[in-house]
Amino acid sequence: MAAPREALERRPFGRRFLTDPARLFQHNAWDNVEWSEEQEASARSKVQENSSQLLPQDKQEEYEVNAKRYWDDFYKIHENGFFKDRHWLFTEFPELTPNRNPSENRESVHEFGNKEKSSNEGLGRCENGHCSLENRTDNQLNLIKSTSKICMDELATQHCGELGQSDGDYPGSSASYRILEVGCGAGNTVFPILQTNNDPGLFVYCCDFSTTAVDLVQNNAEYDSSRCFAFVHDLCNDQSPFPVPDESLDVVILIFVLSAIHPEKMQCVVNRLSHLLKPGGMILLRDYGRYDLAQLRFKKGQCLSDNFYVRGDGTRVYFFTQDELDDLFTTAGLEKIQNLVDRRLQVNRGKQMTMYRVWIQCKYRKPAAPQL
């Protein structure tokens, strides 16, 4: 639902209200907010301004070489206190729920505008270029959990063996449904999945570039090695093996992680991940879109290359267009199921600030094996 136009006055991004803020405060966020030509031009101008001065090549190489250290430092400072658990995943990506219907999921396209959103969803904080998302409301989370319980009751009569190492095979080799989250951080995606999806055939893998992040996941009280395997992995190193064979995964999740990789290495990363998918398996992505608030907030001297920036803490971020992501996935041999832009207006009640967020959500499927 778009914001009431009479309550909005188009201002530079992130500025304070100058018109009727009381009406805006009735809700915290609006989906599918249309941008005027003036607003689009203002965003484009801001990006041109903050991209006009690139960092020297030696500094760019330093951020590339030390990328792991910067992310380790981030998680040492914030541990699991910065990003909120992503319970919104189960609405946007029903492929992660226990009552999934793979055939239906693969044929449907879930439009942002066709779903009722929580008025509290998406409101987070932006700090040093990192922007977090808050949970959905308690009522929605309870609905998710109750759905999970119903599905678990239906599965109660099925035999449920302990998942894990099987006859010396890889972790989760006996599972019937395997999910890998890449860039798991402190577990804000993994643990909601494990808490919500009680499918006895589920096994979740998660990896991160940061050893500190993986330690946080493994030391979490919710970590269950019979259902989950966390490991350190450098996606950009094609000599670094995955703990699973090719064509063994049903779902790969990329939540605000592809944007942290150098643009020149993105295609290789997507190619590697596509090899892990079973025929019919899917990559689910949500990441920063072009002209998101986080991009417009960068200052001169933080730009590495077109739409690629370094934050004050040394971590990096890229801002995508739909076409760029489509090219990455289709070049890897995947077919488009969904590729949407979510333009959202958020309101920070305490600071009386408007924030225009731009995210892209994608689902791409590996073609099924041809029938003989």
Side-chain angles (χ1 to χ4, degrees):
M1 177 179 176
R5 293 188 181 278
E6 66 271 22
L8 289 175
E9 179 177 337
R10 297 298 184 187
R11 311 302 297 172
F13 300 82
R15 295 292 179 85
R16 296 182 182 275
F17 296 122
L18 295 182
T19 61
D20 197 6
R23 294 197 59 181
L24 278 175
F25 288 169
Q26 294 174 4
H27 300 280
N28 286 332
W30 290 267
D31 304 330
N32 301 321
V33 174
E34 296 181 6
W35 285 23
S36 66
E37 292 182 5
E38 177 188 1
Q39 190 171 9
E40 187 93 18
S42 175
R44 191 180 305 111
S45 175
K46 179 63 177 175
V47 168
Q48 290 173 349
E49 178 184 349
N50 68 24
S51 304
S52 60
Q53 179 183 334
L54 300 183
L55 267 72
Q57 189 61 37
D58 60 334
K59 292 294 292 183
Q60 296 201 31
E61 292 173 0
E62 176 187 333
Y63 288 120
E64 175 68 18
V65 170
N66 295 315
K68 182 179 185 300
R69 176 170 65 84
Y70 289 121
W71 278 110
D72 275 336
D73 289 345
F74 175 85
Y75 286 108
K76 286 176 183 176
I77 294 171
H78 297 287
E79 295 185 342
N80 59 356
F82 187 87
F83 300 109
K84 302 298 182 180
D85 284 352
R86 296 159 174 163
H87 295 290
W88 52 266
L89 286 166
F90 307 104
T91 297
E92 306 297 354
F93 300 129
E95 294 82 1
L96 304 177
T97 61
N99 59 332
R100 63 184 183 274
N101 185 326
S103 61
E104 290 181 3
N105 288 336
R106 290 168 185 166
E107 298 301 326
S108 64
V109 175
H110 303 278
E111 297 287 348
F112 285 102
N114 292 337
K115 298 192 297 292
E116 182 179 353
K117 298 281 189 174
S118 162
S119 62
N120 288 327
E121 188 216 350
L123 282 179
R125 56 178 171 143
C126 288
E127 178 180 311
N128 199 21
H130 296 277
C131 293
S132 67
L133 293 174
E134 297 288 358
N135 307 15
R136 284 184 171 269
T137 61
D138 290 339
N139 287 339
Q140 286 175 299
L141 181 53
N142 289 336
L143 176 61
I144 292 169
K145 289 182 176 179
S146 65
T147 303
S148 175
K149 183 180 185 305
I150 292 171
C151 296
M152 187 57 189
D153 291 341
E154 293 175 352
L155 293 167
T157 57
Q158 299 181 14
H159 174 70
C160 178
E162 182 176 349
L163 298 177
Q165 298 277 355
S166 174
D167 300 327
D169 291 338
Y170 57 93
S173 59
S174 61
S176 59
Y177 198 76
R178 303 187 190 94
I179 295 172
L180 166 65
E181 192 209 0
V182 178
C184 63
N188 303 105
T189 294
V190 170
F191 293 122
I193 293 175
L194 292 174
Q195 293 161 2
T196 302
N197 191 333
N198 292 316
D199 182 344
L202 172 72
F203 197 89
V204 181
Y205 307 88
C206 58
C207 65
D208 201 281
F209 194 29
S210 167
T211 303
T212 305
V214 174
D215 286 343
L216 288 170
V217 172
Q218 293 176 339
N219 292 324
N220 191 299
E222 298 288 335
Y223 185 73
D224 182 354
S225 60
S226 70
R227 304 183 68 217
C228 182
F229 182 71
F231 59 100
V232 178
H233 188 83
D234 182 358
L235 273 178
C236 299
N237 180 3
D238 57 9
Q239 299 303 310
S240 177
F242 287 99
V244 297
D246 286 351
E247 299 194 348
S248 62
L249 299 178
D250 295 276
V251 174
V252 172
I253 307 170
L254 293 168
I255 305 295
F256 298 103
V257 63
L258 194 60
S259 55
I261 294 170
H262 195 289
E264 293 180 358
K265 298 183 177 181
M266 290 179 183
Q267 188 64 66
C268 179
V269 166
V270 175
N271 291 347
R272 291 189 70 208
L273 294 175
S274 71
H275 292 155
L276 297 177
L277 289 174
K278 297 175 181 178
M282 298 181 70
I283 288 182
L284 310 178
L285 173 141
R286 190 168 175 87
D287 219 320
Y288 294 104
R290 191 70 46 84
Y291 305 148
D292 178 65
L293 170 69
Q295 181 177 18
L296 303 184
R297 281 185 169 181
F298 280 106
K299 307 299 183 184
K300 281 185 180 180
Q302 293 181 271
C303 187
L304 300 165
S305 60
D306 288 348
N307 304 296
F308 190 42
Y309 301 82
V310 62
R311 302 182 179 99
D313 59 10
T315 61
R316 299 169 300 173
V317 59
Y318 186 84
F319 297 87
F320 292 99
T321 65
Q322 289 174 278
D323 289 343
E324 287 173 336
L325 286 167
D326 186 68
D327 187 57
L328 286 171
F329 290 121
T330 55
T331 299
L334 306 178
E335 56 188 22
K336 180 174 71 175
I337 303 300
Q338 181 188 75
N339 186 323
L340 301 173
V341 174
D342 182 10
R343 297 179 186 269
R344 190 170 301 187
L345 168 63
Q346 298 178 345
V347 175
N348 185 317
R349 293 177 180 234
K351 296 182 179 179
Q352 297 189 11
M353 299 277 286
T354 54
M355 299 180 289
Y356 290 93
R357 306 309 310 275
V358 182
W359 299 304
I360 299 181
Q361 181 168 302
C362 296
K363 300 181 185 182
Y364 280 79
R365 178 180 61 195
K366 189 170 189 173
Q371 301 265 342
L372 297 178

CSV table of all heavy atoms in Angstrom, one decimal, residues 7-22 24-25 293 297 345-356:
chain,number,residue,atom,x,y,z
A,7,ALA,N,0.0,13.3,2.8
A,7,ALA,CA,0.8,13.3,4.1
A,7,ALA,C,2.3,13.4,3.8
A,7,ALA,O,3.1,13.5,4.7
A,7,ALA,CB,0.5,12.1,4.9
A,8,LEU,N,2.7,13.3,2.5
A,8,LEU,CA,4.1,13.3,2.2
A,8,LEU,C,4.5,14.5,1.4
A,8,LEU,O,3.8,15.0,0.5
A,8,LEU,CB,4.5,12.1,1.3
A,8,LEU,CG,4.4,10.7,2.0
A,8,LEU,CD1,4.7,9.6,1.0
A,8,LEU,CD2,5.5,10.7,3.1
A,9,GLU,N,5.6,15.1,1.7
A,9,GLU,CA,6.2,16.1,0.9
A,9,GLU,C,7.6,15.5,0.4
A,9,GLU,O,8.4,15.1,1.3
A,9,GLU,CB,6.4,17.4,1.6
A,9,GLU,CG,7.1,18.5,0.8
A,9,GLU,CD,7.2,19.8,1.5
A,9,GLU,OE1,6.4,20.0,2.5
A,9,GLU,OE2,8.0,20.6,1.2
A,10,ARG,N,7.9,15.5,-0.9
A,10,ARG,CA,9.1,14.9,-1.3
A,10,ARG,C,10.3,15.7,-0.8
A,10,ARG,O,10.4,16.9,-1.2
A,10,ARG,CB,9.1,14.8,-2.9
A,10,ARG,CG,8.0,13.9,-3.4
A,10,ARG,CD,8.2,12.5,-3.0
A,10,ARG,NE,7.2,11.6,-3.6
A,10,ARG,CZ,7.1,10.3,-3.2
A,10,ARG,NH1,7.8,9.8,-2.3
A,10,ARG,NH2,6.2,9.6,-3.8
A,11,ARG,N,11.1,15.1,0.0
A,11,ARG,CA,12.3,15.7,0.5
A,11,ARG,C,13.5,14.9,0.2
A,11,ARG,O,13.4,13.7,0.0
A,11,ARG,CB,12.2,16.0,2.0
A,11,ARG,CG,10.8,16.6,2.4
A,11,ARG,CD,10.6,17.9,1.8
A,11,ARG,NE,11.6,18.9,2.2
A,11,ARG,CZ,11.7,20.1,1.6
A,11,ARG,NH1,10.9,20.5,0.7
A,11,ARG,NH2,12.6,21.0,2.0
A,12,PRO,N,14.7,15.4,0.4
A,12,PRO,CA,15.9,14.5,0.2
A,12,PRO,C,15.8,13.4,1.2
A,12,PRO,O,15.2,13.5,2.3
A,12,PRO,CB,17.0,15.5,0.6
A,12,PRO,CG,16.5,16.8,0.3
A,12,PRO,CD,15.0,16.8,0.6
A,13,PHE,N,16.4,12.2,0.8
A,13,PHE,CA,16.2,11.0,1.5
A,13,PHE,C,16.7,11.1,3.0
A,13,PHE,O,17.8,11.6,3.3
A,13,PHE,CB,17.0,9.9,0.8
A,13,PHE,CG,16.5,9.7,-0.6
A,13,PHE,CD1,16.9,10.5,-1.6
A,13,PHE,CD2,15.5,8.7,-0.8
A,13,PHE,CE1,16.4,10.3,-2.9
A,13,PHE,CE2,15.1,8.5,-2.1
A,13,PHE,CZ,15.5,9.3,-3.1
A,14,GLY,N,15.9,10.6,3.9
A,14,GLY,CA,16.3,10.5,5.3
A,14,GLY,C,16.1,11.8,6.0
A,14,GLY,O,16.5,12.0,7.2
A,15,ARG,N,15.5,12.8,5.4
A,15,ARG,CA,15.3,14.1,6.1
A,15,ARG,C,14.1,14.1,7.0
A,15,ARG,O,13.2,13.3,6.8
A,15,ARG,CB,15.2,15.3,5.1
A,15,ARG,CG,16.5,15.4,4.3
A,15,ARG,CD,17.6,16.0,5.2
A,15,ARG,NE,18.9,16.1,4.5
A,15,ARG,CZ,19.2,17.2,3.7
A,15,ARG,NH1,18.3,18.2,3.7
A,15,ARG,NH2,20.3,17.3,3.1
A,16,ARG,N,13.9,15.1,7.8
A,16,ARG,CA,12.8,15.2,8.7
A,16,ARG,C,11.5,15.6,8.0
A,16,ARG,O,11.6,16.3,6.9
A,16,ARG,CB,13.1,16.2,9.9
A,16,ARG,CG,14.2,15.8,10.7
A,16,ARG,CD,14.4,16.7,11.9
A,16,ARG,NE,15.6,16.3,12.7
A,16,ARG,CZ,15.5,15.4,13.7
A,16,ARG,NH1,14.4,14.9,13.9
A,16,ARG,NH2,16.6,15.1,14.3
A,17,PHE,N,10.4,15.3,8.6
A,17,PHE,CA,9.1,15.7,8.0
A,17,PHE,C,8.9,17.2,8.0
A,17,PHE,O,9.3,17.8,9.0
A,17,PHE,CB,7.9,15.1,8.8
A,17,PHE,CG,7.9,13.6,8.8
A,17,PHE,CD1,8.0,12.9,10.0
A,17,PHE,CD2,7.8,12.9,7.6
A,17,PHE,CE1,7.9,11.5,10.0
A,17,PHE,CE2,7.7,11.5,7.6
A,17,PHE,CZ,7.8,10.8,8.8
A,18,LEU,N,8.3,17.7,7.0
A,18,LEU,CA,7.9,19.1,6.9
A,18,LEU,C,6.4,19.2,6.8
A,18,LEU,O,5.9,20.3,6.7
A,18,LEU,CB,8.6,19.8,5.8
A,18,LEU,CG,10.1,19.9,6.0
A,18,LEU,CD1,10.7,20.7,4.8
A,18,LEU,CD2,10.5,20.6,7.3
A,19,THR,N,5.7,18.1,6.6
A,19,THR,CA,4.2,18.1,6.5
A,19,THR,C,3.6,17.0,7.3
A,19,THR,O,4.0,15.9,7.3
A,19,THR,CB,3.8,17.9,5.0
A,19,THR,OG1,4.3,16.6,4.6
A,19,THR,CG2,4.4,19.0,4.1
A,20,ASP,N,2.6,17.4,8.0
A,20,ASP,CA,1.7,16.5,8.7
A,20,ASP,C,2.3,15.1,9.2
A,20,ASP,O,1.8,14.1,8.7
A,20,ASP,CB,0.5,16.2,7.8
A,20,ASP,CG,-0.7,15.6,8.6
A,20,ASP,OD1,-0.6,15.6,9.9
A,20,ASP,OD2,-1.7,15.2,8.0
A,21,PRO,N,3.3,15.1,10.0
A,21,PRO,CA,3.9,13.9,10.5
A,21,PRO,C,2.9,13.0,11.3
A,21,PRO,O,3.1,11.8,11.3
A,21,PRO,CB,5.0,14.3,11.3
A,21,PRO,CG,4.7,15.7,11.8
A,21,PRO,CD,3.9,16.3,10.7
A,22,ALA,N,1.9,13.6,11.9
A,22,ALA,CA,1.0,12.8,12.7
A,22,ALA,C,0.3,11.7,11.9
A,22,ALA,O,0.1,10.6,12.4
A,22,ALA,CB,-0.1,13.7,13.3
A,24,LEU,N,1.5,10.3,9.2
A,24,LEU,CA,2.5,9.2,8.9
A,24,LEU,C,2.7,8.3,10.0
A,24,LEU,O,3.0,7.1,9.8
A,24,LEU,CB,3.8,9.9,8.4
A,24,LEU,CG,3.9,10.4,7.0
A,24,LEU,CD1,5.2,11.1,6.8
A,24,LEU,CD2,3.7,9.2,6.0
A,25,PHE,N,2.6,8.8,11.3
A,25,PHE,CA,3.0,8.0,12.4
A,25,PHE,C,1.9,7.0,12.7
A,25,PHE,O,2.1,6.2,13.6
A,25,PHE,CB,3.2,8.9,13.6
A,25,PHE,CG,4.5,9.7,13.5
A,25,PHE,CD1,4.8,10.7,14.4
A,25,PHE,CD2,5.4,9.4,12.5
A,25,PHE,CE1,6.0,11.4,14.4
A,25,PHE,CE2,6.6,10.1,12.5
A,25,PHE,CZ,6.9,11.1,13.4
A,293,LEU,N,18.6,3.8,0.7
A,293,LEU,CA,19.0,4.8,1.6
A,293,LEU,C,20.5,4.6,2.0
A,293,LEU,O,21.2,5.6,2.1
A,293,LEU,CB,18.1,4.7,2.9
A,293,LEU,CG,18.6,5.5,4.1
A,293,LEU,CD1,18.5,7.0,3.8
A,293,LEU,CD2,17.8,5.1,5.3
A,297,ARG,N,23.6,7.5,1.6
A,297,ARG,CA,24.2,8.1,2.8
A,297,ARG,C,25.7,8.1,2.7
A,297,ARG,O,26.4,8.7,3.6
A,297,ARG,CB,23.8,7.3,4.0
A,297,ARG,CG,22.4,7.6,4.5
A,297,ARG,CD,22.1,6.9,5.8
A,297,ARG,NE,20.9,7.4,6.5
A,297,ARG,CZ,20.4,7.0,7.6
A,297,ARG,NH1,21.0,6.0,8.3
A,297,ARG,NH2,19.3,7.5,8.1
A,345,LEU,N,8.8,2.8,2.2
A,345,LEU,CA,8.9,4.0,3.0
A,345,LEU,C,8.9,3.5,4.5
A,345,LEU,O,7.9,2.9,4.9
A,345,LEU,CB,7.8,5.0,2.7
A,345,LEU,CG,7.7,6.1,3.7
A,345,LEU,CD1,9.0,7.0,3.7
A,345,LEU,CD2,6.5,7.0,3.4
A,346,GLN,N,9.9,3.8,5.2
A,346,GLN,CA,9.9,3.5,6.7
A,346,GLN,C,9.9,4.8,7.5
A,346,GLN,O,10.4,5.8,7.0
A,346,GLN,CB,11.2,2.7,7.0
A,346,GLN,CG,11.2,1.4,6.3
A,346,GLN,CD,12.5,0.6,6.7
A,346,GLN,OE1,13.4,1.2,7.3
A,346,GLN,NE2,12.6,-0.6,6.4
A,347,VAL,N,9.3,4.7,8.6
A,347,VAL,CA,9.3,5.9,9.5
A,347,VAL,C,9.9,5.5,10.8
A,347,VAL,O,9.6,4.5,11.5
A,347,VAL,CB,7.8,6.3,9.8
A,347,VAL,CG1,7.8,7.5,10.8
A,347,VAL,CG2,7.1,6.7,8.5
A,348,ASN,N,10.9,6.3,11.2
A,348,ASN,CA,11.5,6.2,12.5
A,348,ASN,C,10.8,7.2,13.5
A,348,ASN,O,10.9,8.4,13.4
A,348,ASN,CB,13.0,6.6,12.5
A,348,ASN,CG,13.7,6.4,13.8
A,348,ASN,OD1,13.2,6.7,14.8
A,348,ASN,ND2,14.9,5.8,13.7
A,349,ARG,N,9.9,6.7,14.3
A,349,ARG,CA,9.1,7.5,15.1
A,349,ARG,C,9.9,8.4,16.1
A,349,ARG,O,9.6,9.6,16.3
A,349,ARG,CB,8.1,6.6,15.9
A,349,ARG,CG,7.1,5.9,15.1
A,349,ARG,CD,6.3,5.0,16.0
A,349,ARG,NE,5.3,4.2,15.2
A,349,ARG,CZ,4.0,4.2,15.5
A,349,ARG,NH1,3.5,5.0,16.4
A,349,ARG,NH2,3.2,3.5,14.7
A,350,GLY,N,10.9,7.8,16.7
A,350,GLY,CA,11.7,8.6,17.7
A,350,GLY,C,12.4,9.8,17.1
A,350,GLY,O,12.4,10.9,17.7
A,351,LYS,N,13.0,9.6,15.9
A,351,LYS,CA,13.7,10.7,15.3
A,351,LYS,C,12.9,11.5,14.3
A,351,LYS,O,13.4,12.4,13.7
A,351,LYS,CB,14.9,10.1,14.6
A,351,LYS,CG,15.9,9.4,15.5
A,351,LYS,CD,17.1,8.9,14.7
A,351,LYS,CE,18.2,8.3,15.7
A,351,LYS,NZ,19.3,7.8,15.0
A,352,GLN,N,11.6,11.0,14.1
A,352,GLN,CA,10.7,11.7,13.1
A,352,GLN,C,11.4,11.8,11.7
A,352,GLN,O,11.6,12.9,11.2
A,352,GLN,CB,10.3,13.1,13.6
A,352,GLN,CG,9.5,13.0,14.9
A,352,GLN,CD,8.9,14.3,15.2
A,352,GLN,OE1,8.9,15.3,14.4
A,352,GLN,NE2,8.3,14.5,16.4
A,353,MET,N,11.9,10.6,11.3
A,353,MET,CA,12.7,10.6,10.0
A,353,MET,C,11.9,9.7,9.0
A,353,MET,O,11.4,8.6,9.4
A,353,MET,CB,14.1,10.0,10.2
A,353,MET,CG,14.9,10.8,11.2
A,353,MET,SD,15.7,12.2,10.4
A,353,MET,CE,17.0,11.4,9.5
A,354,THR,N,11.9,10.1,7.8
A,354,THR,CA,11.5,9.2,6.7
A,354,THR,C,12.7,8.5,6.1
A,354,THR,O,13.7,9.2,5.9
A,354,THR,CB,10.7,10.0,5.6
A,354,THR,OG1,11.6,11.0,5.1
A,354,THR,CG2,9.4,10.6,6.1
A,355,MET,N,12.5,7.2,5.7
A,355,MET,CA,13.6,6.5,5.1
A,355,MET,C,13.1,5.7,4.0
A,355,MET,O,12.2,4.9,4.1
A,355,MET,CB,14.3,5.5,6.2
A,355,MET,CG,14.8,6.2,7.4
A,355,MET,SD,15.5,5.1,8.6
A,355,MET,CE,14.0,4.3,9.3
A,356,TYR,N,13.7,5.9,2.8
A,356,TYR,CA,13.3,5.2,1.6
A,356,TYR,C,14.2,4.1,1.3
A,356,TYR,O,15.4,4.3,1.1
A,356,TYR,CB,13.2,6.2,0.4
A,356,TYR,CG,12.1,7.2,0.5
A,356,TYR,CD1,12.3,8.4,1.0
A,356,TYR,CD2,10.8,6.8,0.0
A,356,TYR,CE1,11.3,9.3,1.1
A,356,TYR,CE2,9.8,7.8,0.1
A,356,TYR,CZ,10.0,9.0,0.7
A,356,TYR,OH,9.0,9.9,0.8
